[in-house]
Amino acid sequence: MVDRLIGAAGALVIAVVAADIFRSLLVPRANTRLLRVGPVLGSALFAGWQAMAGRIRGHHLRQTVRASLAPLILVLTLVVWAALLILGFGMLFWADRTSFRPSLATFGDAAYAAGSAFSTLGIVGTVSGDLTRLAVLTCSVAGLAIVTVVATFLISIQTGFGRRETLVLRLESHVTLPPAGIAILETYAGEGIVDRLGPFFEAWELWAADIAISHRAFPILLFFRSNDSRCEWLAAFGAVMDAAALLDSTVADPPSHARAGAHFVLRTGARMLGDMARQFASTSADPEFADAERFRAHRDRLAAAGYRVADEEDALRRYAGRRRTYATSLVTLARRLHVDVDERRAGDLDSRPSG
């Protein structure tokens, strides 16, 4: 009876881990955290890791430590998956240890046999009994399948990260850092290419749609930080959204395709940020949608750059309305990830709660 219970427990461990791998790598739309290794590791490590990084004085070292969290969680998840599968098969082998020749003397021998089969090295001796042989073959096939699936998964992670950072890198060459929406509009006006704001916003609309798909499918991507800490991907997109809000509310006669691009990126971006904030953050921020003095300075800078600006009171009201659609989600995610999205400050939110 004890051996049967051990065997049943081993089969349960294998089933739970297999379901986790299936939901995480093959059917990534499933976002429940029940019996999931990755979310558990993330919740266990994130707060402590960020607190430890916040005590580091050097900015570059602090950013390096924070950037290493996502790869660490990814590697630990893979290691825990493999260890649990070997444990589960070891329990199955131990429950039927008399079918192995030579017989398994200790549970350590059973775990070693499971590890050897999982790594496709094979086991020492012979195995009798159809069910036991099937378990050994299943263990070997599982090991080979995990290697194949994980290799594909890592390629998907690298591809998703590269697609995300391409536009961020391009934005770094357009504006001073940290990025700001007003600086984007000034740059395009200064270069005499205001008519290209339409394609610019369209590119970021497609980027937002891609982020909504890839980062919900592979949540670990959310915690991979950008190469330049002065232009984190979330701060870069916040600047783009602010630029769209300013153009749509404050510029009196922008090119029609630029205004259309601003409309669409605001809609798509607000939906993406809202979905991600609901999925990854446990509390909501209460941001300031429009500071009158700051907006007045932005309006003056737009006029100086050559834009024809709208009436101040009406423009401020429209600007606050545009920002209201995305600012809460943006700041909520920023606090969750310890990223500063305020153009007036560079660096991280070291003193703010992660949410």
Side-chain angles (χ1 to χ4, degrees), residues 10-320:
L12 179 62
V13 170
I14 295 170
V16 170
V17 176
D20 185 14
I21 295 173
F22 186 77
R23 288 183 293 172
S24 299
L25 306 186
L26 302 178
V27 188
R29 283 186 61 189
N31 55 25
T32 175
R33 297 191 174 194
L34 181 63
L35 300 177
R36 302 289 300 277
V37 171
V40 170
L41 285 175
S43 300
L45 293 177
F46 186 82
W49 193 273
Q50 295 294 345
M52 177 191 68
R55 298 189 184 99
I56 299 175
R57 293 184 178 181
H59 174 72
H60 293 291
L61 179 58
R62 182 169 66 249
Q63 290 301 317
T64 300
V65 171
R66 281 184 169 158
S68 63
L69 176 60
L72 176 63
I73 293 176
L74 180 60
V75 171
L76 285 179
T77 300
L78 302 179
V79 170
V80 171
W81 277 339
L84 288 176
L85 285 174
I86 291 173
L87 174 64
F89 280 107
M91 295 171 71
L92 281 181
F93 293 175
W94 178 247
D96 199 18
R97 55 190 174 276
T98 57
S99 298
F100 291 81
R101 294 290 184 275
S103 61
L104 303 175
T106 65
F107 181 76
D109 293 337
Y112 177 77
S116 297
F118 186 81
S119 60
T120 67
L121 296 177
I123 61 175
V124 178
T126 60
V127 180
S128 61
D130 293 339
L131 291 179
T132 307
R133 289 174 176 174
L134 179 61
V136 172
L137 288 175
T138 302
C139 183
S140 299
V141 172
L144 183 61
I146 289 297
V147 171
T148 304
V149 171
V150 165
T152 304
F153 172 67
L154 292 178
I155 293 174
S156 299
I157 293 296
Q158 292 176 340
T159 302
F161 178 80
R163 288 202 309 265
R164 188 188 76 186
E165 294 301 309
T166 299
L167 275 186
V168 176
L169 182 61
R170 289 182 60 190
L171 185 65
E172 289 184 32
S173 64
H174 291 180
V175 299
T176 57
L177 301 180
I182 182 63
I184 295 174
L185 298 181
E186 287 177 328
T187 298
Y188 274 74
E191 297 294 332
I193 53 174
V194 174
D195 58 328
R196 294 182 58 182
L197 279 171
F200 172 82
F201 288 133
E202 181 180 359
W204 279 96
E205 179 198 355
L206 295 175
W207 179 93
D210 182 70
I211 293 297
I213 296 172
S214 61
H215 285 51
R216 291 192 66 187
F218 304 112
I220 190 64
L221 278 171
L222 186 74
F223 299 98
F224 276 87
R225 303 179 79 94
S226 297
N227 296 323
D228 191 337
S229 61
R230 298 173 300 167
C231 191
E232 289 286 351
W233 65 273
L234 191 59
F237 187 59
V240 172
M241 294 288 279
D242 286 345
L246 278 171
L247 179 82
D248 191 39
S249 62
T250 311
V251 177
D253 55 350
S256 58
H257 49 285
R259 171 160 285 176
H263 281 168
F264 293 137
V265 76
L266 285 171
R267 293 177 185 176
T268 305
R271 178 177 178 180
M272 181 271 285
L273 292 171
D275 289 346
M276 294 182 67
R278 284 189 293 271
Q279 181 174 352
F280 298 113
S282 57
T283 59
S284 296
D286 186 18
E288 184 178 52
F289 297 117
D291 177 83
E293 182 177 351
R294 186 178 177 189
F295 171 78
R296 198 172 296 115
H298 285 174
R299 181 175 176 274
D300 292 341
R301 289 172 63 177
L302 287 175
Y307 293 97
R308 193 166 70 88
V309 295
D311 176 74
E312 180 179 321
E313 184 177 348
D314 291 340
L316 176 60
R317 177 176 47 81
R318 290 195 298 268
Y319 179 64

